[in-house]
Amino acid sequence: MQKIAVFNAHVNEACEQTGRSRLDLLKELRKAGITGLEVDIADVTDVAALKAELKAVDMTISSLCGTYHFEETGRADLQLVAVADALEVEQIMPVPGFFTERIPLEQARANCLKALTELVVAATEKGIKVSVEDYDAATSVVMDSEAMCWFGDRIENLYYTFDTGNFIYSGEDALAAFANLEDKVIHFHAKDRSLTKIVGAGSKETLDGKTLYATAVGSGVIPLDELLQKLAAQNYYGWITIEHFGAKDQLQAMLDSVAWLKSRSL
């Protein structure tokens, strides 16, 4: 069985939806089989308190992430490395930047390349691995597998987080994308998408006009079974992180997702 994590933000949202405490929900999720939290650096306000909370529920941090605008300066924010080191996190995932009318794609890429290279060097010195994912935004410099490879081919020791539910945003086939990226995949976001409207769930429109709705893993249109089989064929022993930002019932979605993953006998 692979190690299963969930986004820390999902836990916070579930607290808001249910009125229950974080500790109470974390205990329930741990009992269900979730052993890791994917944490955004913006939510880390007290390293010692976070470590104590995780110890209390026998969980660890699967990855530390953050969203940046490296396109503006070409300089890395090394706080991501410092906080990961303090939390004893083995990998980090920056969303590196975006292009704009003011900073076109070629310049944005060049600036992000410079900053990411600096970040990877600093992280590698600490024994921390850096990955980028297929971020589902039209202006992202890493929107699809081709863009991810553009950076991966140029930066030594840069790896990939494979987000199953984001390739559909740009119209890319997820199975073809996996074939492009599989040699450097060190982290896996299990995300499904529904094309059937779910009242109360968050939605996103794809570049070709489809509306995607947040849903539990295994209940949408993403070929997750096939992707998990391909992952297993790579002898992958890393984290599988459940992701469904905007789920109508975040707690139930997390429980349904982990139950579905455990049923796959990974």
Side-chain angles (χ1 to χ4, degrees), residues 144-162:
D144 54 22
S145 68
E146 181 181 356
M148 293 167 69
C149 288
W150 189 92
F151 285 97
D153 291 345
R154 289 165 173 77
I155 303 176
E156 185 179 5
N157 297 322
L158 178 66
Y159 300 93
Y160 304 135
T161 288
F162 191 90

Side-chain angles (χ1 to χ4, degrees), residues 70 76 94 96 108-124 129-132 141-142 147-160 184:
F70 294 155
R109 271 187 170 182
N111 286 348
C112 289
L113 177 65
K114 182 180 178 183
L116 270 177
T117 301
E118 180 185 351
L119 186 69
V120 170
V121 169
T124 302
K129 290 185 176 181
V130 182
S131 68
V132 291
V141 297
V142 286
M148 293 167 69
C149 288
W150 189 92
F151 285 97
D153 291 345
R154 289 165 173 77
I155 303 176
E156 185 179 5
N157 297 322
L158 178 66
Y159 300 93
Y160 304 135
K184 296 180 72 175

Side-chain angles (χ1 to χ4, degrees), residues 13-27:
E13 187 175 9
C15 288
E16 295 175 1
Q17 291 176 344
T18 64
R20 294 168 60 184
S21 70
R22 266 181 64 87
L23 184 59
D24 187 29
L25 289 181
L26 287 173
K27 286 180 178 178

